[in-house]
Amino acid sequence: MLKAKLEFALGPRELALQTGDITKVAADAIGNAANSQLAGGGGVDGAIHRAGGPSIMRELDVIRDRIETCRAGNAVATGAGSLPAKWVLHAVGPVYRGGRHGEAAILASCYRQCMILAEELGAKSLTLPAISTGVYGYPMDEAADIAVTTVADVLAAAETEVRRVSFVLWGDRAFQAFARSSLEIVRQIT
Ligand code: ADP
């Protein structure tokens, strides 16, 4: 994987993209691509639990006792264990089933919920993965457009105290898709 980075100013807020492992990038809050059982899994979820340690799952056990499942499009927050962050925001993305089952709205909701939780917690910086683009099968280009539009709209409207959002992307193909979306979307809104 090449090391790549891009940054955009949206007024006093920043939108950034980089390749890498999200568990290694410091931020106040880290987004996770969780499943509705909040049970841990492979991909970025597995990496976050491995790097963060067992306290994250212990907190999720308590949340699960209360809400049973977290529906797609929603997110819950826990502490971040030994990750270089204070909080993990566990967002449940849609499983992609052809695009006509409300997947786009659900994916946008995941990113909005992450922004809302980050704001509520007082996080000033947030890292996010490309939710649903792994096992859940969301086409990368479409997912990138939804992710960047949703986050950039909140940042550009200054609707948040979150100062900086960085997408941390696993691989060159994901980075290229997010870079193309960001160049287009930032040009439209600035
Ligand atoms: P989902 O089930 O929501 O599709 P996955 O974890 O399978 O979640 O994949 C989501 C995205 O996260 C994919 O683009 C995958 O390549 C990426 N990914 C996997 N591991 C990491 C990591 N350590 N850091 C950042 N992104 C990751």
Side-chain angles (χ1 to χ4, degrees):
M1 176 164 41
L2 292 170
K3 252 196 173 168
K5 209 166 195 174
L6 266 179
E7 290 187 346
F8 301 91
L10 294 167
R13 315 277 193 271
E14 281 172 357
L15 177 71
L17 316 176
Q18 67 173 89
T19 51
D21 176 353
I22 199 167
T23 67
K24 304 237 155 70
V25 181
D28 291 341
I30 296 183
N32 182 19
N35 52 54
S36 52
Q37 288 73 43
L38 304 171
V44 71
D45 197 12
I48 283 175
H49 282 283
R50 271 194 307 278
S55 67
I56 298 175
M57 189 54 83
R58 280 200 296 273
E59 286 188 49
L60 287 175
D61 291 341
V62 174
I63 292 171
R64 210 180 304 109
D65 282 346
R66 203 175 68 232
I67 64 168
E68 288 185 22
T69 59
C70 181
R71 288 177 54 175
N74 288 337
V76 299
T78 65
S82 39
L83 289 166
K86 296 188 191 118
W87 302 284
V88 181
L89 313 180
H90 305 264
V92 181
V95 175
Y96 189 78
R97 294 188 290 140
R100 296 183 182 210
H101 296 85
E103 293 96 327
I106 296 170
L107 187 59
S109 171
C110 286
Y111 287 107
R112 262 195 308 276
Q113 291 302 318
C114 285
M115 296 300 291
I116 289 169
L117 281 177
E119 168 86 8
E120 284 174 3
L121 292 163
K124 297 282 182 257
S125 58
L126 168 64
T127 51
L128 290 168
I131 297 168
S132 281
T133 63
V135 172
Y136 282 6
Y138 216 112
M140 187 61 81
D141 289 339
E142 289 169 44
D145 282 346
I146 293 164
V148 173
T149 305
T150 307
V151 170
D153 277 353
V154 177
L155 290 174
E159 283 168 1
T160 178
E161 291 301 312
V162 179
R163 297 276 140 186
R164 179 182 169 88
V165 177
S166 304
F167 287 102
V168 183
L169 303 158
W170 188 253
D172 307 332
R173 200 173 66 81
F175 183 84
Q176 278 161 19
F178 275 70
R180 188 192 44 73
S181 290
S182 303
L183 289 164
E184 176 98 354
I185 288 158
V186 170
R187 188 163 49 81
Q188 281 169 19
I189 62 178
T190 49

